[in-house]
Amino acid sequence: MTSHVFPRPFLFGTATASYQIEGAVAEDGRGPSIWDVFSHTPGRTNNGDTGDIACDHYHRYQEDIALMRDLGVDAYRLSIAWPRILPGGTGAVNPWGVAFYRTLLEGLRAAGIRPVVTLYHWDLPQALQDRGGWAERSTAEAFAHYAAVMATELGDLVDTWTTLNEPWCAAYLGHGSGVHAPGITDPALSLKVAHHLNLAHGLAVQAIRQVLPDARCSVTLNLQVARPEDPEDPADRAAARTVETIGNDVFLSPMLEGRLPEELVAATAPVTDWSFVAPGDLAEIHQPLDVLGINYYSTMTVRPRRADDPDSSGGHGHTGHSPWPACDDIAFLDPAGPLTAMGWNIEPQGLTDLLVATSRRFPDLPLMVTENGAAFEDRADQDGHVADPDRIDYLHDHIAAVGRAREAGARVEGYFLWSLMDNFEWAYGYSKRFGIVRVDYRTLARTPKASFDWYRGLIATRRLSERP
């Protein structure tokens, strides 16, 4: 039986995001974010759920660090809430916000856990949205200022700085389909936002390194794996290439190659002329990175649209507007089973393919899987315990997929399981559970699931056998 070995310094970690777990949205000087406003707007989230309390991590972080210490993780990927640091997006720094994160990071360090810090996991200060948000270049400049503040205040405690999490979602779900905050549905604007997020990334890396010349910097992208319905059909293959160009190269090429791909400009010509790209922008965006984070959950299947094809978002919620600019002529097909509770297909081979292809394209850049996990319909027994064999199978098969990618030559240096605990799953509210720790949303009690014990065992042995 084949076994995959993950010797140190390979990192095993877990991950969360600020708005999904912290709560305390109006405490200690925190300003409102676009997700506070979005989630309080009727009809935007399942059951009207908000992150007002979430998992109350703001008050229970010590308990959560103890869980991670028990789990045995090498690293923890967290995000900082920009409006907790700069309530107005710019201007005066909130000392209580800085103090919270400093105490959290110190606690992680004391527990032997390396902090991987994401500066932007979608909770833009509402004050900046009121001035145009990511549609304005000034927001990218404000982000660079925020990054410099964080490097100054917390630089002695952070292992790796990640500028952005999944800018695809911020641009296309937030400004294309509108299923994420701020809930805008404008295909042309979504591409402009993608560019300003790229610019924010480049400016932030420079700002961090001005404060910390040796800082370890990264970005996390949810790179798309598009499968043609018929791999032998040139039209289906072309549809898949277009989706990956608009979904992936819009970020990869400017960030890692310093160019705006001709294929991207041609594919999106019906929507935009890219005149918002100013001279010098690509040089600002293209900054050396120490690692590229990749988030992976599923693949998609596409082909040219037919007259009778229903509209589909590719598994990202429905508003009547597509998150895919300039893809009206492409059909995103319903996934075949087995599926997670999110309706996403389960295809570990897609992760292997993605890691190998990305590593071959950027052979000098180490990779990390910064999110991977699954929501299932967990059922707790009378004591609150959860046996979650579907999640264990999912994690096993995807970590094995990482092992196969490493054996094929991919430079993968870590794996972060999403998520440490059940939490606010954006527009789905509290209806979807990704955690390996169950959260009772009435009492906020934390109970490790069976998958927690399984992952702890893997981290301890650092060896995984392929299933028969």
Side-chain angles (χ1 to χ4, degrees):
M1 182 180 295
T2 301
S3 292
H4 304 287
V5 182
F6 300 90
R8 288 188 170 86
F10 186 93
L11 295 179
F12 278 114
T14 189
T16 64
S18 51
Y19 189 74
Q20 293 183 271
I21 67 166
E22 283 182 1
V25 297
E27 292 187 36
D28 294 338
R30 179 187 180 277
S33 78
I34 57 174
W35 268 98
D36 294 298
V37 173
F38 185 84
S39 65
H40 278 272
T41 302
R44 291 296 200 178
T45 66
N46 181 73
N47 200 41
D49 291 342
T50 75
D52 288 1
I53 298 173
C55 305
D56 197 31
H57 174 74
Y58 189 77
H59 299 111
R60 297 168 183 258
Y61 67 89
Q62 291 175 314
E63 179 182 358
D64 297 335
I65 292 173
L67 282 167
M68 285 184 272
R69 183 191 296 115
D70 183 33
L71 185 59
V73 290
D74 304 302
Y76 172 49
R77 179 173 173 255
L78 67 142
S79 76
I80 290 175
W82 187 350
R84 202 178 288 284
I85 301 299
L86 295 163
T90 58
V93 175
N94 175 23
W96 295 281
V98 172
F100 167 71
Y101 290 111
R102 172 160 282 279
T103 302
L104 173 61
L105 295 174
E106 288 173 344
L108 291 166
R109 287 287 190 185
I113 299 168
R114 295 163 62 172
V116 176
V117 171
T118 302
L119 290 173
Y120 187 68
H121 202 128
W122 310 343
D123 42 1
L124 183 74
Q126 181 62 35
L128 291 179
Q129 184 61 40
D130 291 342
R131 299 199 288 272
W134 289 112
E136 299 297 325
R137 295 175 65 88
S138 58
T139 300
E141 295 161 357
F143 183 69
H145 169 67
Y146 157 58
V149 169
M150 290 292 81
T152 301
E153 298 287 353
L154 304 177
D156 57 318
L157 296 170
V158 173
D159 181 81
T160 301
W161 296 95
T162 301
T163 54
L164 308 173
N165 174 77
E166 297 186 351
W168 184 96
C169 294
Y172 295 158
L173 299 184
H175 298 81
S177 65
V179 298
H180 277 197
I184 295 170
T185 56
D186 184 335
L189 183 61
S190 72
L191 292 165
K192 185 178 186 182
V193 165
H195 175 65
H196 288 161
L197 286 161
N198 283 338
L199 183 61
H201 158 77
L203 294 176
V205 170
Q206 294 177 70
I208 292 167
R209 287 189 172 138
Q210 285 174 358
V211 178
L212 305 166
D214 297 324
R216 178 175 164 86
C217 293
S218 70
V219 67
T220 280
L221 305 177
N222 56 322
L223 298 178
Q224 311 292 315
V225 179
R227 305 292 202 198
E229 182 184 34
D230 179 358
E232 303 302 318
D233 187 327
D236 287 14
R237 294 200 304 270
R241 284 196 301 274
T242 296
V243 167
E244 292 189 353
T245 295
I246 293 173
N248 299 344
D249 287 342
V250 67
F251 304 111
L252 286 172
S253 294
M255 288 181 179
L256 301 182
E257 298 170 335
R259 67 185 184 91
L260 192 65
E262 294 179 5
E263 300 85 352
L264 175 66
V265 174
T268 56
V271 175
T272 184
D273 62 3
W274 294 88
S275 58
F276 44 77
V277 179
D281 280 1
L282 292 170
E284 298 280 15
I285 294 166
H286 183 210
Q287 299 300 317
L289 293 182
D290 299 286
V291 64
L292 172 64
I294 293 178
N295 293 355
Y296 176 87
Y297 294 95
S298 63
T299 64
M300 67 182 74
T301 302
V302 300
R303 59 166 163 74
R305 178 176 293 279
R306 300 168 185 167
D308 58 347
D309 280 333
D311 290 334
S312 173
S313 67
H316 296 285
H318 299 281
T319 62
H321 299 271
S322 173
W324 290 97
C327 289
D328 293 343
D329 58 346
I330 294 175
F332 296 83
L333 305 183
D334 289 338
L339 307 177
T340 70
M342 296 292 287
W344 299 343
N345 73 314
I346 300 172
E347 190 188 338
Q349 185 60 40
L351 178 55
T352 300
D353 295 345
L354 177 60
L355 293 171
V356 170
T358 306
S359 197
R360 287 176 179 170
R361 180 173 173 181
F362 306 105
D364 298 326
L365 183 61
L367 309 178
M368 283 198 185
V369 178
T370 38
E371 285 184 28
N372 175 246
F376 289 105
E377 299 295 337
D378 295 338
R379 294 286 183 266
D381 65 19
Q382 61 182 5
D383 297 320
H385 297 290
V386 175
D388 53 345
D390 290 341
R391 181 173 292 108
I392 291 172
D393 287 347
Y394 180 100
L395 295 171
H396 176 283
D397 293 350
H398 284 78
I399 296 171
V402 174
R404 291 194 298 273
R406 282 164 53 89
E407 289 151 15
R411 293 187 61 188
V412 189
E413 298 187 349
Y415 174 91
F416 289 74
L417 184 155
W418 184 271
S419 173
L420 173 64
M421 67 186 87
D422 297 333
N423 53 47
F424 177 80
E425 185 49 40
W426 309 110
Y428 292 97
Y430 297 100
S431 67
K432 308 297 182 186
R433 293 180 177 268
F434 277 86
I436 56 172
V437 173
R438 177 178 174 80
V439 176
D440 183 324
Y441 294 119
R442 294 174 296 108
T443 66
L444 298 174
R446 277 89 156 127
T447 306
K449 303 177 187 178
S451 54
F452 181 100
D453 295 330
W454 178 89
Y455 193 45
R456 177 170 54 190
L458 171 64
I459 294 169
T461 64
R462 310 188 78 86
R463 180 181 295 272
L464 182 71
S465 297
E466 289 277 7
R467 290 197 292 166

